[in-house]
Amino acid sequence: AQRVTQPEKLLSVFKGAPVELKCNYSYSGSPELFWYVQYSRQRLQLLLRHISRESIKGFTADLNKGETSFHLKKPFAQEEDSAMYYCARNPGYSSASKIIFGSGTRLSIRP
Amino acid sequence: DSGVTQTPKHLITATGQRVTLRCSPRSGDLSVYWYQQSLDQGLQFLIQYYNGEERAKGNILERFSAQQFPDLHSELNLSSLELGDSALYFCASSVDWKTQYFGPGTRLLVL
């Protein structure tokens, strides 16, 4: 079965410290990987996609096919980064594909 | 604002009852997805519709059903409600199944 694993339910770091949110996926074909973010009392929104290779709000994520990982990183955490982060994947081969979300990691930035 | 709307915002009902949640996708988006977010289960994909037809099914209970109408809005029907059905129900839409835009959610409380 296709899976997305986020091993940490909660990650707490100090402001200014580096952040790494882990995500591993089960390998199948050529998946597309995403990170979604949900700030307090707001809707879920796309943060970034692996194919875009972009940096959003200082966050980057590199797809490592060898390790089947797509960890989200930021060198210096800010208080406004506190949110729930979900890693997600699409199998990438069909319009009927269903996106699969990880269980989420709550990131808490301490002042 | 992603352009996806959901009504109602909050719903309080009793066990055994039936409720209908409504979702209007972004203009032009043919796909609608339904998700359930609960504290213990995280974000769970329920079902996807594409241009009126069911395309993918996730962890949707038999007590739950959905449909997408010709104007592309969708409804999620939850019947014989149980306490454990209390959750936040999200709708998302997409034009190309790759990037999903989420609505604000409907918070359901079953007493």
Side-chain angles (χ1 to χ4, degrees):
Chain A
Q2 295 168 9
R3 287 188 303 274
V4 175
T5 304
Q6 292 180 252
E8 303 139 330
K9 280 195 172 182
L10 173 65
L11 184 63
S12 182
V13 302
F14 283 106
K15 177 182 172 182
V19 171
E20 182 179 65
L21 300 170
K22 292 185 168 52
C23 172
N24 288 90
Y25 63 94
S26 56
Y27 180 75
S28 175
S30 300
E32 285 198 49
L33 278 298
F34 308 82
W35 276 99
Y36 282 82
V37 61
Q38 187 177 27
Y39 299 103
S40 178
R41 299 185 181 279
Q42 293 187 27
R43 67 186 71 194
L44 205 65
Q45 55 187 290
L46 180 67
L47 181 61
L48 52 79
R49 299 166 57 178
H50 89 271
I51 60 172
S52 301
R53 293 185 170 274
E54 57 196 344
S55 174
I56 304 293
K57 298 183 180 182
F59 284 98
T60 58
D62 291 320
L63 181 63
N64 186 325
K65 290 187 176 181
E67 296 182 358
T68 60
S69 69
F70 188 56
H71 303 328
L72 183 68
K73 299 177 184 179
K74 184 169 183 176
F76 307 104
Q78 297 171 293
E79 288 187 62
E80 54 264 34
D81 295 330
S82 293
M84 194 76 180
Y85 291 81
Y86 290 93
C87 181
R89 64 164 289 175
N90 260 329
Y93 52 75
S94 166
S95 63
S97 306
K98 59 179 183 181
I99 192 167
I100 300 170
F101 283 86
S103 54
T105 297
R106 183 168 297 282
L107 177 63
S108 174
I109 307 301
R110 291 177 281 176
Chain B
D1 186 353
S2 67
V4 178
T5 60
Q6 289 185 249
T7 57
K9 285 188 176 179
H10 304 277
L11 200 49
I12 302 175
T13 188
T15 54
Q17 294 299 305
R18 173 191 168 95
V19 297
T20 297
L21 312 183
R22 183 189 168 101
C23 168
S24 293
R26 294 188 322 155
S27 177
D29 286 359
L30 299 180
S31 281
V32 170
Y33 307 76
W34 284 99
Y35 294 89
Q36 180 193 57
Q37 185 182 42
S38 57
L39 284 175
D40 56 344
Q41 293 285 326
L43 196 61
Q44 298 279 322
F45 167 74
L46 296 178
I47 197 164
Q48 177 202 356
Y49 278 82
Y50 178 81
N51 203 21
E53 293 187 4
E54 182 185 305
R55 276 301 178 93
K57 227 170 184 177
N59 301 319
I60 187 167
L61 300 172
E62 286 191 12
R63 301 184 284 110
F64 296 0
S65 65
Q67 54 184 329
Q68 186 179 27
F69 295 87
D71 67 352
L72 300 178
H73 90 271
S74 178
E75 291 182 354
L76 178 67
N77 300 296
L78 315 177
S79 61
S80 303
L81 285 167
E82 301 175 0
L83 295 177
D85 297 328
S86 296
L88 194 54
Y89 290 84
F90 284 108
C91 160
S93 74
S94 69
V95 63
D96 62 359
W97 63 266
K98 295 183 179 182
T99 303
Q100 298 186 16
Y101 297 88
F102 283 79
T106 292
R107 188 172 295 279
L108 173 66
L109 180 60
V110 182
L111 301 174

mmCIF file of all heavy atoms in Angstrom, chain B residues 6-14 17-22 34 76-79 81-83 85-89 105-111:
data_model
loop_
_atom_site.group_PDB
_atom_site.id
_atom_site.type_symbol
_atom_site.label_atom_id
_atom_site.label_comp_id
_atom_site.label_asym_id
_atom_site.label_seq_id
_atom_site.Cartn_x
_atom_site.Cartn_y
_atom_site.Cartn_z
ATOM 1 N N GLN B 6 -17.379 26.316 1.748
ATOM 2 C CA GLN B 6 -18.068 25.200 2.394
ATOM 3 C C GLN B 6 -19.106 25.741 3.358
ATOM 4 O O GLN B 6 -18.868 26.728 4.044
ATOM 5 C CB GLN B 6 -17.078 24.332 3.190
ATOM 6 C CG GLN B 6 -16.145 23.507 2.341
ATOM 7 C CD GLN B 6 -15.294 22.589 3.175
ATOM 8 O OE1 GLN B 6 -14.082 22.774 3.281
ATOM 9 N NE2 GLN B 6 -15.912 21.565 3.761
ATOM 10 N N THR B 7 -20.250 25.079 3.365
ATOM 11 C CA THR B 7 -21.294 25.426 4.324
ATOM 12 C C THR B 7 -21.882 24.164 4.926
ATOM 13 O O THR B 7 -21.897 23.113 4.277
ATOM 14 C CB THR B 7 -22.421 26.223 3.643
ATOM 15 O OG1 THR B 7 -22.955 25.451 2.544
ATOM 16 C CG2 THR B 7 -21.942 27.569 3.151
ATOM 17 N N PRO B 8 -22.328 24.212 6.169
ATOM 18 C CA PRO B 8 -22.139 25.315 7.104
ATOM 19 C C PRO B 8 -20.727 25.308 7.687
ATOM 20 O O PRO B 8 -19.972 24.379 7.440
ATOM 21 C CB PRO B 8 -23.173 24.992 8.190
ATOM 22 C CG PRO B 8 -23.234 23.497 8.203
ATOM 23 C CD PRO B 8 -23.046 23.069 6.768
ATOM 24 N N LYS B 9 -20.394 26.301 8.458
ATOM 25 C CA LYS B 9 -19.087 26.351 9.109
ATOM 26 C C LYS B 9 -19.069 25.431 10.310
ATOM 27 O O LYS B 9 -18.055 24.784 10.613
ATOM 28 C CB LYS B 9 -18.767 27.776 9.565
ATOM 29 C CG LYS B 9 -18.364 28.701 8.445
ATOM 30 C CD LYS B 9 -17.883 30.028 8.992
ATOM 31 C CE LYS B 9 -17.396 30.920 7.857
ATOM 32 N NZ LYS B 9 -16.925 32.242 8.346
ATOM 33 N N HIS B 10 -20.182 25.409 11.014
ATOM 34 C CA HIS B 10 -20.297 24.575 12.212
ATOM 35 C C HIS B 10 -21.622 23.835 12.166
ATOM 36 O O HIS B 10 -22.614 24.362 11.655
ATOM 37 C CB HIS B 10 -20.251 25.418 13.492
ATOM 38 C CG HIS B 10 -19.047 26.276 13.609
ATOM 39 N ND1 HIS B 10 -17.843 25.805 14.084
ATOM 40 C CD2 HIS B 10 -18.850 27.581 13.305
ATOM 41 C CE1 HIS B 10 -16.962 26.790 14.072
ATOM 42 N NE2 HIS B 10 -17.538 27.871 13.605
ATOM 43 N N LEU B 11 -21.607 22.636 12.729
ATOM 44 C CA LEU B 11 -22.820 21.835 12.761
ATOM 45 C C LEU B 11 -22.814 21.008 14.035
ATOM 46 O O LEU B 11 -21.840 20.298 14.313
ATOM 47 C CB LEU B 11 -22.839 20.919 11.535
ATOM 48 C CG LEU B 11 -24.146 20.304 11.051
ATOM 49 C CD1 LEU B 11 -25.241 21.332 10.943
ATOM 50 C CD2 LEU B 11 -23.909 19.652 9.688
ATOM 51 N N ILE B 12 -23.859 21.149 14.805
ATOM 52 C CA ILE B 12 -24.003 20.359 16.023
ATOM 53 C C ILE B 12 -25.259 19.519 15.877
ATOM 54 O O ILE B 12 -26.333 20.046 15.585
ATOM 55 C CB ILE B 12 -24.103 21.253 17.275
ATOM 56 C CG1 ILE B 12 -22.860 22.142 17.395
ATOM 57 C CG2 ILE B 12 -24.246 20.386 18.524
ATOM 58 C CD1 ILE B 12 -22.922 23.132 18.541
ATOM 59 N N THR B 13 -25.108 18.225 16.100
ATOM 60 C CA THR B 13 -26.251 17.342 15.927
ATOM 61 C C THR B 13 -26.144 16.190 16.924
ATOM 62 O O THR B 13 -25.200 16.120 17.711
ATOM 63 C CB THR B 13 -26.322 16.832 14.480
ATOM 64 O OG1 THR B 13 -27.549 16.114 14.292
ATOM 65 C CG2 THR B 13 -25.154 15.914 14.169
ATOM 66 N N ALA B 14 -27.108 15.312 16.872
ATOM 67 C CA ALA B 14 -27.156 14.204 17.829
ATOM 68 C C ALA B 14 -26.841 12.886 17.129
ATOM 69 O O ALA B 14 -26.955 12.763 15.909
ATOM 70 C CB ALA B 14 -28.528 14.138 18.480
ATOM 71 N N GLN B 17 -28.503 10.913 13.793
ATOM 72 C CA GLN B 17 -29.035 11.880 12.826
ATOM 73 C C GLN B 17 -28.271 11.822 11.504
ATOM 74 O O GLN B 17 -27.259 11.134 11.358
ATOM 75 C CB GLN B 17 -28.955 13.292 13.401
ATOM 76 C CG GLN B 17 -29.844 13.513 14.608
ATOM 77 C CD GLN B 17 -31.310 13.318 14.289
ATOM 78 O OE1 GLN B 17 -31.859 13.946 13.381
ATOM 79 N NE2 GLN B 17 -31.955 12.433 15.026
ATOM 80 N N ARG B 18 -28.789 12.595 10.546
ATOM 81 C CA ARG B 18 -28.184 12.685 9.218
ATOM 82 C C ARG B 18 -27.932 14.157 8.909
ATOM 83 O O ARG B 18 -28.778 15.007 9.208
ATOM 84 C CB ARG B 18 -29.137 12.084 8.188
ATOM 85 C CG ARG B 18 -28.725 12.262 6.738
ATOM 86 C CD ARG B 18 -29.882 11.859 5.821
ATOM 87 N NE ARG B 18 -29.641 12.271 4.451
ATOM 88 C CZ ARG B 18 -29.115 11.497 3.517
ATOM 89 N NH1 ARG B 18 -28.754 10.263 3.797
ATOM 90 N NH2 ARG B 18 -28.933 11.959 2.285
ATOM 91 N N VAL B 19 -26.777 14.439 8.315
ATOM 92 C CA VAL B 19 -26.450 15.819 7.943
ATOM 93 C C VAL B 19 -25.896 15.848 6.538
ATOM 94 O O VAL B 19 -25.422 14.829 6.009
ATOM 95 C CB VAL B 19 -25.418 16.451 8.911
ATOM 96 C CG1 VAL B 19 -25.968 16.543 10.328
ATOM 97 C CG2 VAL B 19 -24.106 15.687 8.885
ATOM 98 N N THR B 20 -25.966 17.025 5.935
ATOM 99 C CA THR B 20 -25.409 17.226 4.592
ATOM 100 C C THR B 20 -24.468 18.409 4.622
ATOM 101 O O THR B 20 -24.823 19.492 5.073
ATOM 102 C CB THR B 20 -26.533 17.496 3.578
ATOM 103 O OG1 THR B 20 -27.376 16.345 3.511
ATOM 104 C CG2 THR B 20 -25.945 17.760 2.194
ATOM 105 N N LEU B 21 -23.259 18.174 4.134
ATOM 106 C CA LEU B 21 -22.251 19.218 4.040
ATOM 107 C C LEU B 21 -22.121 19.598 2.568
ATOM 108 O O LEU B 21 -22.134 18.738 1.695
ATOM 109 C CB LEU B 21 -20.901 18.716 4.567
ATOM 110 C CG LEU B 21 -20.916 17.997 5.911
ATOM 111 C CD1 LEU B 21 -19.494 17.632 6.324
ATOM 112 C CD2 LEU B 21 -21.588 18.821 6.971
ATOM 113 N N ARG B 22 -21.939 20.896 2.355
ATOM 114 C CA ARG B 22 -21.910 21.375 0.979
ATOM 115 C C ARG B 22 -20.576 22.023 0.648
ATOM 116 O O ARG B 22 -19.964 22.666 1.496
ATOM 117 C CB ARG B 22 -23.041 22.379 0.781
ATOM 118 C CG ARG B 22 -23.177 22.918 -0.629
ATOM 119 C CD ARG B 22 -24.166 24.069 -0.683
ATOM 120 N NE ARG B 22 -24.099 24.767 -1.962
ATOM 121 C CZ ARG B 22 -24.955 24.592 -2.960
ATOM 122 N NH1 ARG B 22 -25.976 23.759 -2.817
ATOM 123 N NH2 ARG B 22 -24.827 25.259 -4.099
ATOM 124 N N TRP B 34 -13.100 15.158 -0.792
ATOM 125 C CA TRP B 34 -13.579 15.302 0.588
ATOM 126 C C TRP B 34 -12.590 14.611 1.533
ATOM 127 O O TRP B 34 -12.121 13.502 1.256
ATOM 128 C CB TRP B 34 -14.957 14.677 0.771
ATOM 129 C CG TRP B 34 -16.072 15.496 0.206
ATOM 130 C CD1 TRP B 34 -16.695 15.327 -1.002
ATOM 131 C CD2 TRP B 34 -16.720 16.604 0.832
ATOM 132 N NE1 TRP B 34 -17.669 16.272 -1.174
ATOM 133 C CE2 TRP B 34 -17.707 17.074 -0.050
ATOM 134 C CE3 TRP B 34 -16.557 17.264 2.061
ATOM 135 C CZ2 TRP B 34 -18.556 18.148 0.237
ATOM 136 C CZ3 TRP B 34 -17.383 18.335 2.349
ATOM 137 C CH2 TRP B 34 -18.371 18.767 1.447
ATOM 138 N N LEU B 76 -21.684 16.138 0.787
ATOM 139 C CA LEU B 76 -21.281 14.950 1.528
ATOM 140 C C LEU B 76 -22.375 14.662 2.541
ATOM 141 O O LEU B 76 -22.702 15.520 3.356
ATOM 142 C CB LEU B 76 -19.942 15.184 2.241
ATOM 143 C CG LEU B 76 -19.402 14.038 3.093
ATOM 144 C CD1 LEU B 76 -19.025 12.848 2.215
ATOM 145 C CD2 LEU B 76 -18.185 14.496 3.906
ATOM 146 N N ASN B 77 -22.974 13.498 2.445
ATOM 147 C CA ASN B 77 -24.060 13.109 3.329
ATOM 148 C C ASN B 77 -23.545 12.127 4.377
ATOM 149 O O ASN B 77 -22.940 11.108 4.038
ATOM 150 C CB ASN B 77 -25.182 12.452 2.527
ATOM 151 C CG ASN B 77 -25.745 13.377 1.473
ATOM 152 O OD1 ASN B 77 -26.310 14.411 1.789
ATOM 153 N ND2 ASN B 77 -25.555 13.018 0.209
ATOM 154 N N LEU B 78 -23.785 12.460 5.616
ATOM 155 C CA LEU B 78 -23.352 11.610 6.725
ATOM 156 C C LEU B 78 -24.604 11.163 7.471
ATOM 157 O O LEU B 78 -25.385 11.998 7.938
ATOM 158 C CB LEU B 78 -22.436 12.386 7.671
ATOM 159 C CG LEU B 78 -21.335 13.242 7.038
ATOM 160 C CD1 LEU B 78 -20.576 14.010 8.121
ATOM 161 C CD2 LEU B 78 -20.380 12.383 6.243
ATOM 162 N N SER B 79 -24.810 9.861 7.572
ATOM 163 C CA SER B 79 -26.033 9.374 8.208
ATOM 164 C C SER B 79 -25.703 8.468 9.393
ATOM 165 O O SER B 79 -24.555 8.051 9.573
ATOM 166 C CB SER B 79 -26.890 8.617 7.189
ATOM 167 O OG SER B 79 -26.180 7.502 6.688
ATOM 168 N N LEU B 81 -25.279 9.078 12.427
ATOM 169 C CA LEU B 81 -24.078 9.656 13.007
ATOM 170 C C LEU B 81 -23.724 9.059 14.364
ATOM 171 O O LEU B 81 -24.604 8.760 15.186
ATOM 172 C CB LEU B 81 -24.236 11.168 13.127
ATOM 173 C CG LEU B 81 -24.100 11.919 11.794
ATOM 174 C CD1 LEU B 81 -24.571 13.352 11.939
ATOM 175 C CD2 LEU B 81 -22.667 11.860 11.291
ATOM 176 N N GLU B 82 -22.422 8.914 14.564
ATOM 177 C CA GLU B 82 -21.892 8.411 15.827
ATOM 178 C C GLU B 82 -20.977 9.471 16.424
ATOM 179 O O GLU B 82 -20.524 10.390 15.735
ATOM 180 C CB GLU B 82 -21.110 7.120 15.575
ATOM 181 C CG GLU B 82 -21.937 6.021 14.930
ATOM 182 C CD GLU B 82 -21.111 4.797 14.582
ATOM 183 O OE1 GLU B 82 -19.887 4.800 14.835
ATOM 184 O OE2 GLU B 82 -21.703 3.826 14.049
ATOM 185 N N LEU B 83 -20.699 9.328 17.707
ATOM 186 C CA LEU B 83 -19.847 10.300 18.393
ATOM 187 C C LEU B 83 -18.499 10.436 17.680
ATOM 188 O O LEU B 83 -17.953 11.529 17.561
ATOM 189 C CB LEU B 83 -19.621 9.886 19.850
ATOM 190 C CG LEU B 83 -20.855 9.873 20.744
ATOM 191 C CD1 LEU B 83 -20.473 9.367 22.146
ATOM 192 C CD2 LEU B 83 -21.471 11.262 20.841
ATOM 193 N N ASP B 85 -17.813 10.400 14.697
ATOM 194 C CA ASP B 85 -17.845 11.126 13.431
ATOM 195 C C ASP B 85 -17.546 12.612 13.623
ATOM 196 O O ASP B 85 -17.389 13.349 12.645
ATOM 197 C CB ASP B 85 -19.219 10.971 12.755
ATOM 198 C CG ASP B 85 -19.530 9.527 12.393
ATOM 199 O OD1 ASP B 85 -18.572 8.776 12.076
ATOM 200 O OD2 ASP B 85 -20.721 9.132 12.452
ATOM 201 N N SER B 86 -17.478 13.037 14.860
ATOM 202 C CA SER B 86 -17.135 14.430 15.136
ATOM 203 C C SER B 86 -15.748 14.719 14.585
ATOM 204 O O SER B 86 -14.778 14.040 14.939
ATOM 205 C CB SER B 86 -17.164 14.698 16.647
ATOM 206 O OG SER B 86 -18.462 14.535 17.160
ATOM 207 N N ALA B 87 -15.664 15.700 13.731
ATOM 208 C CA ALA B 87 -14.397 16.004 13.066
ATOM 209 C C ALA B 87 -14.561 17.269 12.242
ATOM 210 O O ALA B 87 -15.652 17.840 12.158
ATOM 211 C CB ALA B 87 -13.976 14.847 12.155
ATOM 212 N N LEU B 88 -13.460 17.647 11.634
ATOM 213 C CA LEU B 88 -13.477 18.746 10.667
ATOM 214 C C LEU B 88 -13.497 18.103 9.286
ATOM 215 O O LEU B 88 -12.657 17.256 8.981
ATOM 216 C CB LEU B 88 -12.216 19.588 10.860
ATOM 217 C CG LEU B 88 -12.125 20.964 10.223
ATOM 218 C CD1 LEU B 88 -13.301 21.820 10.623
ATOM 219 C CD2 LEU B 88 -10.827 21.626 10.651
ATOM 220 N N TYR B 89 -14.460 18.490 8.466
ATOM 221 C CA TYR B 89 -14.589 17.924 7.132
ATOM 222 C C TYR B 89 -14.190 18.982 6.114
ATOM 223 O O TYR B 89 -14.782 20.052 6.046
ATOM 224 C CB TYR B 89 -16.022 17.432 6.885
ATOM 225 C CG TYR B 89 -16.348 16.217 7.711
ATOM 226 C CD1 TYR B 89 -16.784 16.350 9.023
ATOM 227 C CD2 TYR B 89 -16.175 14.936 7.201
ATOM 228 C CE1 TYR B 89 -17.047 15.241 9.804
ATOM 229 C CE2 TYR B 89 -16.438 13.812 7.974
ATOM 230 C CZ TYR B 89 -16.869 13.982 9.273
ATOM 231 O OH TYR B 89 -17.122 12.876 10.051
ATOM 232 N N GLY B 105 -13.504 24.307 5.666
ATOM 233 C CA GLY B 105 -13.940 23.171 6.474
ATOM 234 C C GLY B 105 -15.274 23.391 7.163
ATOM 235 O O GLY B 105 -15.723 24.518 7.367
ATOM 236 N N THR B 106 -15.895 22.276 7.487
ATOM 237 C CA THR B 106 -17.111 22.275 8.313
ATOM 238 C C THR B 106 -16.792 21.487 9.569
ATOM 239 O O THR B 106 -16.357 20.333 9.497
ATOM 240 C CB THR B 106 -18.286 21.602 7.587
ATOM 241 O OG1 THR B 106 -18.690 22.386 6.476
ATOM 242 C CG2 THR B 106 -19.480 21.428 8.536
ATOM 243 N N ARG B 107 -16.993 22.132 10.712
ATOM 244 C CA ARG B 107 -16.731 21.443 11.964
ATOM 245 C C ARG B 107 -18.010 20.783 12.440
ATOM 246 O O ARG B 107 -19.006 21.467 12.704
ATOM 247 C CB ARG B 107 -16.210 22.429 13.027
ATOM 248 C CG ARG B 107 -15.743 21.721 14.301
ATOM 249 C CD ARG B 107 -15.057 22.701 15.244
ATOM 250 N NE ARG B 107 -13.818 23.232 14.697
ATOM 251 C CZ ARG B 107 -12.658 22.600 14.712
ATOM 252 N NH1 ARG B 107 -12.564 21.400 15.247
ATOM 253 N NH2 ARG B 107 -11.582 23.171 14.211
ATOM 254 N N LEU B 108 -17.975 19.465 12.522
ATOM 255 C CA LEU B 108 -19.150 18.690 12.927
ATOM 256 C C LEU B 108 -18.959 18.180 14.343
ATOM 257 O O LEU B 108 -17.932 17.576 14.660
ATOM 258 C CB LEU B 108 -19.363 17.503 11.985
ATOM 259 C CG LEU B 108 -20.457 16.516 12.377
ATOM 260 C CD1 LEU B 108 -21.838 17.177 12.297
ATOM 261 C CD2 LEU B 108 -20.421 15.272 11.490
ATOM 262 N N LEU B 109 -19.944 18.430 15.170
ATOM 263 C CA LEU B 109 -19.929 17.916 16.536
ATOM 264 C C LEU B 109 -21.167 17.057 16.737
ATOM 265 O O LEU B 109 -22.293 17.532 16.579
ATOM 266 C CB LEU B 109 -19.906 19.068 17.542
ATOM 267 C CG LEU B 109 -19.883 18.667 19.012
ATOM 268 C CD1 LEU B 109 -18.661 17.821 19.337
ATOM 269 C CD2 LEU B 109 -19.924 19.908 19.908
ATOM 270 N N VAL B 110 -20.941 15.811 17.052
ATOM 271 C CA VAL B 110 -22.044 14.873 17.292
ATOM 272 C C VAL B 110 -22.137 14.627 18.795
ATOM 273 O O VAL B 110 -21.158 14.209 19.425
ATOM 274 C CB VAL B 110 -21.822 13.541 16.553
ATOM 275 C CG1 VAL B 110 -23.005 12.606 16.784
ATOM 276 C CG2 VAL B 110 -21.619 13.782 15.068
ATOM 277 N N LEU B 111 -23.286 14.953 19.350
ATOM 278 C CA LEU B 111 -23.467 14.820 20.802
ATOM 279 C C LEU B 111 -24.296 13.596 21.166
ATOM 280 O O LEU B 111 -25.104 13.133 20.357
ATOM 281 C CB LEU B 111 -24.126 16.089 21.360
ATOM 282 C CG LEU B 111 -23.345 17.391 21.126
ATOM 283 C CD1 LEU B 111 -24.170 18.566 21.601
ATOM 284 C CD2 LEU B 111 -22.010 17.336 21.855
#
